[in-house]
Amino acid sequence: MNVSKFFMSQKGKVVSKGLVTHKISRAYSKNMYLLPVPKDKITEFGFDISPAHVGNLLNSIDFYVPKDTPIFAAAEGKVIKLLDSSRSKGNTVEYWDKGNFIEIMHSKKESTHYEHLRYKGVKVRICQKVKAGEVIGFSGNTGFTENPHLHFQVNRYVSKDDFVTVKARFANFIDVYKKHKR
Ligand SMILES: [Zn+2]
C-alpha cells in the first residue's frame, strides 16, 4: 500500500467530515494514566504507526493486543460516551464511526478514549463512575481498522465539544513518544 497516498486521501476525507481538525498539540497530559491494557498482551505499540493519527488525533497510541483482551480505565473518572452495537470493520474511512468505543472524563479537562472494542464489549454505562485500573470492556476489531488493536487517546478539551489530543503520561509504562520520533 502506498502509505503517503492513503494518508492524503484519508486525511482529506476525514477533514471534510469534520472529524479531524488541524489543531495539534505537542504537550503532555496533565494527569498521569495507567496503561489501558495488560503489558504482557502487547505485541506492538506506538503513536506513529497508524496513518489515521493526524491532526487533532496526532498523539493517539495503538496497542496491538489479541481480541478479547481486558481494557482498563486509565484513571478514575466518569463515562461520557460509548458505543458497543457495531459489528463492522474495514480499512476505509466509511468505517470511521463504526468502532465500538468508550470515553471517560477525568480531571483537568482531560478525557481518555478507547476504540475498536468487540461487539457488546463495553462493560460500563453512560455516567458510570469508574476507578483507575477497573475493567471497562474488551478489545476487538470494529471500525476503521485492519488488525485487532486498542486505539487510545487522551483528549484535552479546549471548549465544550472541541479537543486536541495530548501525549499520554503513564505511571506504569515507558514514554511512548520517545520510542519513535517524528
Ligand atoms: Zn489508532
Side-chain angles (χ1 to χ4, degrees):
M1 180 175 65
N2 181 330
V3 172
S4 63
K5 194 175 164 196
F6 173 78
F7 181 97
M8 292 296 288
S9 61
Q10 295 300 339
K11 189 175 171 185
K13 273 195 165 179
V14 173
V15 168
S16 73
K17 287 176 77 178
L19 293 166
V20 169
T21 71
H22 291 293
K23 282 186 194 134
I24 64 163
S25 171
R26 301 273 182 189
Y28 278 85
S29 61
K30 292 178 181 166
N31 297 317
M32 291 293 283
Y33 293 101
L34 297 176
L35 198 58
V37 288
K39 206 179 285 187
D40 62 357
K41 297 282 187 190
I42 301 170
T43 55
E44 169 67 307
F45 66 92
F47 80 102
D48 56 0
I49 55 176
S50 166
H53 296 179
V54 293
N56 65 336
L57 302 185
L58 179 71
N59 297 305
S60 305
I61 305 167
D62 287 337
F63 292 103
Y64 279 79
V65 292
K67 275 186 187 171
D68 306 322
T69 298
I71 294 168
F72 308 133
E76 69 169 12
K78 184 175 161 185
V79 177
I80 57 168
K81 293 178 192 165
L82 60 81
L83 176 73
D84 82 340
S85 59
S86 173
R87 299 169 190 262
S88 307
K89 68 149 279 209
N91 66 354
T92 59
V93 75
E94 284 69 39
Y95 294 92
W96 188 271
D97 56 0
K98 301 286 191 285
N100 295 321
F101 75 94
I102 301 168
E103 184 176 351
I104 299 174
M105 196 70 208
H106 310 290
S107 61
K108 298 170 184 162
K109 297 190 176 174
E110 288 182 0
S111 74
T112 50
H113 181 118
Y114 314 74
E115 178 91 24
H116 309 305
L117 276 62
R118 76 181 186 204
Y119 173 67
K120 298 292 179 193
V122 173
K123 298 300 161 195
V124 289
R125 308 175 311 277
I126 289 286
C127 291
Q128 184 176 334
K129 288 184 178 164
V130 295
K131 296 190 180 106
E134 185 175 331
V135 174
I136 54 171
F138 293 90
S139 71
N141 197 29
T142 58
F144 183 19
T145 171
E146 278 190 77
N147 297 306
H149 68 283
L150 175 72
H151 168 104
F152 175 77
Q153 66 191 61
V154 179
N155 300 336
R156 183 179 296 159
Y157 278 85
V158 293
S159 69
K160 187 170 174 290
D161 301 311
D162 198 11
F163 65 83
V164 291
T165 55
V166 290
K167 297 177 177 181
R169 288 198 300 146
F170 289 114
N172 60 346
F173 199 57
I174 64 163
D175 181 344
V176 171
Y177 305 93
K178 288 190 173 160
K179 184 190 172 214
H180 302 281
K181 281 206 169 40
R182 101 178 155 189

